[in-house]
Amino acid sequence: MKRRTLALSLFLLASLPAIAADKFDYKALAKQQAGNYAAEKLNLPTAAPAGAKVYFPTLKDGDTVSSPVTVVFGLAGAGIAPAGTQVEGTGHHHLLIDDPTVDYTVPLPVSDKIVHFGKGQTETQLKLAPGKHTLQLVFGDWKHQPFNPSIQSDKITITVK
């Protein structure tokens, strides 16, 4: 009985690749993976979704706030997807704090002034020292690179009391 079960199991396992090959397009997957690899290695920008914009729905330029500051990320004309997930028309947020220098032709680095929200978060709590601070949103693609053209909010200045 065990041999018959083992033989049947081996037969079914051997048949799976043939069955799966009929249903799965390996050529398309290989083409997509090659394209992803090239885009990542060559820092090729992803075309921005038409009409997409990011903004701060709960903060405006000149606001005075207390720390921690709740920062909500507004998005229109695109969707959210975690970093590393390549789905057309989607990306994730990056928050620029206190005007860091940014090269929009390469993936954004991680720092205390360039905060990544690669899990698809749409808000955060910031602990900021008292004083004036600038905030700006930049929407990035699956590889943390700004879209082309860049999808970024207006830069706002807030005062933390």
Side-chain angles (χ1 to χ4, degrees), residues 77-95:
I80 298 287
T85 304
Q86 186 180 12
V87 175
E88 187 175 335
T90 67
H92 62 279
H93 294 286
H94 300 83
L95 180 61

Side-chain angles (χ1 to χ4, degrees), residues 14-38:
S15 301
L16 282 177
I19 294 168
D22 290 341
K23 306 251 184 222
F24 192 78
D25 189 350
Y26 289 101
K27 187 176 179 181
L29 177 63
K31 186 176 178 182
Q32 180 182 0
Q33 288 176 337
N36 290 354
Y37 181 80

Side-chain angles (χ1 to χ4, degrees), residues 39-112:
E40 191 169 15
K41 294 301 175 193
L42 299 173
N43 294 322
L44 299 176
T46 301
K53 68 177 192 166
V54 290
Y55 56 95
F56 296 105
T58 59
L59 290 173
K60 62 183 183 301
D61 192 43
D63 277 354
T64 299
V65 297
S66 298
S67 190
V69 181
T70 299
V71 182
V72 178
F73 313 142
L75 173 66
I80 298 287
T85 304
Q86 186 180 12
V87 175
E88 187 175 335
T90 67
H92 62 279
H93 294 286
H94 300 83
L95 180 61
L96 308 183
I97 303 169
D98 294 334
D99 205 20
T101 300
V102 175
D103 181 352
Y104 287 89
T105 66
V106 297
L108 296 169
V110 176
S111 73
D112 59 336

